[in-house]
mmCIF file with all atom_site columns, all heavy atoms in Angstrom:
data_model
loop_
_atom_site.group_PDB
_atom_site.id
_atom_site.type_symbol
_atom_site.label_atom_id
_atom_site.label_alt_id
_atom_site.label_comp_id
_atom_site.label_asym_id
_atom_site.label_entity_id
_atom_site.label_seq_id
_atom_site.pdbx_PDB_ins_code
_atom_site.Cartn_x
_atom_site.Cartn_y
_atom_site.Cartn_z
_atom_site.occupancy
_atom_site.B_iso_or_equiv
_atom_site.pdbx_formal_charge
_atom_site.auth_seq_id
_atom_site.auth_comp_id
_atom_site.auth_asym_id
_atom_site.auth_atom_id
_atom_site.pdbx_PDB_model_num
ATOM 1  N N   . ASP X 1 450 ? -83.227 26.381 41.098 1.00 0.00 ? 450 ASP X N   1
ATOM 2  C CA  . ASP X 1 450 ? -82.795 27.720 41.468 1.00 0.00 ? 450 ASP X CA  1
ATOM 3  C C   . ASP X 1 450 ? -82.259 27.695 42.888 1.00 0.00 ? 450 ASP X C   1
ATOM 4  O O   . ASP X 1 450 ? -82.429 26.728 43.625 1.00 0.00 ? 450 ASP X O   1
ATOM 5  C CB  . ASP X 1 450 ? -83.962 28.718 41.394 1.00 0.00 ? 450 ASP X CB  1
ATOM 6  C CG  . ASP X 1 450 ? -84.407 28.958 39.964 1.00 0.00 ? 450 ASP X CG  1
ATOM 7  O OD1 . ASP X 1 450 ? -83.571 28.736 39.074 1.00 0.00 ? 450 ASP X OD1 1
ATOM 8  O OD2 . ASP X 1 450 ? -85.575 29.325 39.765 1.00 0.00 ? 450 ASP X OD2 1
ATOM 9  N N   . TYR X 1 451 ? -81.614 28.804 43.288 1.00 0.00 ? 451 TYR X N   1
ATOM 10 C CA  . TYR X 1 451 ? -81.113 28.911 44.637 1.00 0.00 ? 451 TYR X CA  1
ATOM 11 C C   . TYR X 1 451 ? -82.163 29.580 45.512 1.00 0.00 ? 451 TYR X C   1
ATOM 12 O O   . TYR X 1 451 ? -82.852 30.498 45.079 1.00 0.00 ? 451 TYR X O   1
ATOM 13 C CB  . TYR X 1 451 ? -79.811 29.717 44.654 1.00 0.00 ? 451 TYR X CB  1
ATOM 14 C CG  . TYR X 1 451 ? -78.752 29.106 43.807 1.00 0.00 ? 451 TYR X CG  1
ATOM 15 C CD1 . TYR X 1 451 ? -78.384 29.680 42.589 1.00 0.00 ? 451 TYR X CD1 1
ATOM 16 C CD2 . TYR X 1 451 ? -78.141 27.924 44.191 1.00 0.00 ? 451 TYR X CD2 1
ATOM 17 C CE1 . TYR X 1 451 ? -77.413 29.103 41.797 1.00 0.00 ? 451 TYR X CE1 1
ATOM 18 C CE2 . TYR X 1 451 ? -77.177 27.348 43.402 1.00 0.00 ? 451 TYR X CE2 1
ATOM 19 C CZ  . TYR X 1 451 ? -76.813 27.934 42.213 1.00 0.00 ? 451 TYR X CZ  1
ATOM 20 O OH  . TYR X 1 451 ? -75.857 27.364 41.420 1.00 0.00 ? 451 TYR X OH  1
ATOM 21 N N   . THR X 1 452 ? -82.257 29.112 46.746 1.00 0.00 ? 452 THR X N   1
ATOM 22 C CA  . THR X 1 452 ? -83.225 29.690 47.669 1.00 0.00 ? 452 THR X CA  1
ATOM 23 C C   . THR X 1 452 ? -82.906 31.150 47.909 1.00 0.00 ? 452 THR X C   1
ATOM 24 O O   . THR X 1 452 ? -81.766 31.515 48.115 1.00 0.00 ? 452 THR X O   1
ATOM 25 C CB  . THR X 1 452 ? -83.180 28.929 49.016 1.00 0.00 ? 452 THR X CB  1
ATOM 26 O OG1 . THR X 1 452 ? -83.437 27.565 48.750 1.00 0.00 ? 452 THR X OG1 1
ATOM 27 C CG2 . THR X 1 452 ? -84.212 29.474 49.974 1.00 0.00 ? 452 THR X CG2 1
ATOM 28 N N   . SER X 1 453 ? -83.912 31.980 47.891 1.00 0.00 ? 453 SER X N   1
ATOM 29 C CA  . SER X 1 453 ? -83.692 33.423 48.022 1.00 0.00 ? 453 SER X CA  1
ATOM 30 C C   . SER X 1 453 ? -84.706 34.035 48.973 1.00 0.00 ? 453 SER X C   1
ATOM 31 O O   . SER X 1 453 ? -85.871 33.672 48.978 1.00 0.00 ? 453 SER X O   1
ATOM 32 C CB  . SER X 1 453 ? -83.819 34.092 46.654 1.00 0.00 ? 453 SER X CB  1
ATOM 33 O OG  . SER X 1 453 ? -83.860 35.487 46.789 1.00 0.00 ? 453 SER X OG  1
ATOM 34 N N   . ASP X 1 454 ? -84.251 34.993 49.773 1.00 0.00 ? 454 ASP X N   1
ATOM 35 C CA  . ASP X 1 454 ? -85.155 35.719 50.652 1.00 0.00 ? 454 ASP X CA  1
ATOM 36 C C   . ASP X 1 454 ? -86.203 36.473 49.851 1.00 0.00 ? 454 ASP X C   1
ATOM 37 O O   . ASP X 1 454 ? -87.272 36.786 50.344 1.00 0.00 ? 454 ASP X O   1
ATOM 38 C CB  . ASP X 1 454 ? -84.364 36.731 51.500 1.00 0.00 ? 454 ASP X CB  1
ATOM 39 C CG  . ASP X 1 454 ? -83.539 36.031 52.552 1.00 0.00 ? 454 ASP X CG  1
ATOM 40 O OD1 . ASP X 1 454 ? -83.837 34.863 52.837 1.00 0.00 ? 454 ASP X OD1 1
ATOM 41 O OD2 . ASP X 1 454 ? -82.594 36.653 53.081 1.00 0.00 ? 454 ASP X OD2 1
ATOM 42 N N   . GLU X 1 455 ? -85.882 36.792 48.583 1.00 0.00 ? 455 GLU X N   1
ATOM 43 C CA  . GLU X 1 455 ? -86.842 37.508 47.754 1.00 0.00 ? 455 GLU X CA  1
ATOM 44 C C   . GLU X 1 455 ? -88.121 36.708 47.595 1.00 0.00 ? 455 GLU X C   1
ATOM 45 O O   . GLU X 1 455 ? -89.203 37.255 47.460 1.00 0.00 ? 455 GLU X O   1
ATOM 46 C CB  . GLU X 1 455 ? -86.235 37.798 46.380 1.00 0.00 ? 455 GLU X CB  1
ATOM 47 C CG  . GLU X 1 455 ? -85.042 38.727 46.461 1.00 0.00 ? 455 GLU X CG  1
ATOM 48 C CD  . GLU X 1 455 ? -84.150 38.606 45.248 1.00 0.00 ? 455 GLU X CD  1
ATOM 49 O OE1 . GLU X 1 455 ? -84.529 37.875 44.314 1.00 0.00 ? 455 GLU X OE1 1
ATOM 50 O OE2 . GLU X 1 455 ? -83.078 39.220 45.228 1.00 0.00 ? 455 GLU X OE2 1
ATOM 51 N N   . GLU X 1 456 ? -87.993 35.358 47.583 1.00 0.00 ? 456 GLU X N   1
ATOM 52 C CA  . GLU X 1 456 ? -89.158 34.508 47.421 1.00 0.00 ? 456 GLU X CA  1
ATOM 53 C C   . GLU X 1 456 ? -89.870 34.290 48.750 1.00 0.00 ? 456 GLU X C   1
ATOM 54 O O   . GLU X 1 456 ? -91.073 34.142 48.812 1.00 0.00 ? 456 GLU X O   1
ATOM 55 C CB  . GLU X 1 456 ? -88.721 33.170 46.832 1.00 0.00 ? 456 GLU X CB  1
ATOM 56 C CG  . GLU X 1 456 ? -88.154 33.325 45.426 1.00 0.00 ? 456 GLU X CG  1
ATOM 57 C CD  . GLU X 1 456 ? -87.502 32.054 44.936 1.00 0.00 ? 456 GLU X CD  1
ATOM 58 O OE1 . GLU X 1 456 ? -87.416 31.102 45.735 1.00 0.00 ? 456 GLU X OE1 1
ATOM 59 O OE2 . GLU X 1 456 ? -87.071 32.016 43.777 1.00 0.00 ? 456 GLU X OE2 1
ATOM 60 N N   . GLU X 1 457 ? -89.072 34.306 49.845 1.00 0.00 ? 457 GLU X N   1
ATOM 61 C CA  . GLU X 1 457 ? -89.651 34.036 51.150 1.00 0.00 ? 457 GLU X CA  1
ATOM 62 C C   . GLU X 1 457 ? -90.625 35.133 51.576 1.00 0.00 ? 457 GLU X C   1
ATOM 63 O O   . GLU X 1 457 ? -91.595 34.883 52.260 1.00 0.00 ? 457 GLU X O   1
ATOM 64 C CB  . GLU X 1 457 ? -88.538 33.905 52.190 1.00 0.00 ? 457 GLU X CB  1
ATOM 65 C CG  . GLU X 1 457 ? -87.706 32.628 51.980 1.00 0.00 ? 457 GLU X CG  1
ATOM 66 C CD  . GLU X 1 457 ? -86.489 32.609 52.877 1.00 0.00 ? 457 GLU X CD  1
ATOM 67 O OE1 . GLU X 1 457 ? -86.358 33.520 53.710 1.00 0.00 ? 457 GLU X OE1 1
ATOM 68 O OE2 . GLU X 1 457 ? -85.667 31.688 52.746 1.00 0.00 ? 457 GLU X OE2 1
ATOM 69 N N   . ASP X 1 458 ? -90.364 36.391 51.177 1.00 0.00 ? 458 ASP X N   1
ATOM 70 C CA  . ASP X 1 458 ? -91.260 37.463 51.600 1.00 0.00 ? 458 ASP X CA  1
ATOM 71 C C   . ASP X 1 458 ? -92.263 37.830 50.506 1.00 0.00 ? 458 ASP X C   1
ATOM 72 O O   . ASP X 1 458 ? -92.862 38.897 50.547 1.00 0.00 ? 458 ASP X O   1
ATOM 73 C CB  . ASP X 1 458 ? -90.459 38.693 52.032 1.00 0.00 ? 458 ASP X CB  1
ATOM 74 C CG  . ASP X 1 458 ? -89.783 39.380 50.859 1.00 0.00 ? 458 ASP X CG  1
ATOM 75 O OD1 . ASP X 1 458 ? -89.808 38.848 49.729 1.00 0.00 ? 458 ASP X OD1 1
ATOM 76 O OD2 . ASP X 1 458 ? -89.234 40.466 51.093 1.00 0.00 ? 458 ASP X OD2 1
ATOM 77 N N   . GLY X 1 459 ? -92.416 36.932 49.532 1.00 0.00 ? 459 GLY X N   1
ATOM 78 C CA  . GLY X 1 459 ? -93.398 37.174 48.494 1.00 0.00 ? 459 GLY X CA  1
ATOM 79 C C   . GLY X 1 459 ? -92.885 37.990 47.336 1.00 0.00 ? 459 GLY X C   1
ATOM 80 O O   . GLY X 1 459 ? -93.595 38.258 46.385 1.00 0.00 ? 459 GLY X O   1
ATOM 81 N N   . GLY X 1 460 ? -91.595 38.381 47.410 1.00 0.00 ? 460 GLY X N   1
ATOM 82 C CA  . GLY X 1 460 ? -90.991 39.093 46.282 1.00 0.00 ? 460 GLY X CA  1
ATOM 83 C C   . GLY X 1 460 ? -91.586 40.463 46.050 1.00 0.00 ? 460 GLY X C   1
ATOM 84 O O   . GLY X 1 460 ? -91.690 40.911 44.916 1.00 0.00 ? 460 GLY X O   1
ATOM 85 N N   . SER X 1 461 ? -91.966 41.144 47.107 1.00 0.00 ? 461 SER X N   1
ATOM 86 C CA  . SER X 1 461 ? -92.631 42.430 46.931 1.00 0.00 ? 461 SER X CA  1
ATOM 87 C C   . SER X 1 461 ? -91.769 43.446 46.210 1.00 0.00 ? 461 SER X C   1
ATOM 88 O O   . SER X 1 461 ? -92.286 44.313 45.512 1.00 0.00 ? 461 SER X O   1
ATOM 89 C CB  . SER X 1 461 ? -93.036 42.995 48.300 1.00 0.00 ? 461 SER X CB  1
ATOM 90 O OG  . SER X 1 461 ? -91.890 43.147 49.121 1.00 0.00 ? 461 SER X OG  1
#
Side-chain angles (χ1 to χ4, degrees):
D450 291 336
Y451 301 107
T452 303
S453 169
D454 288 342
E455 296 158 5
E456 296 170 355
E457 291 172 5
D458 70 353
S461 59

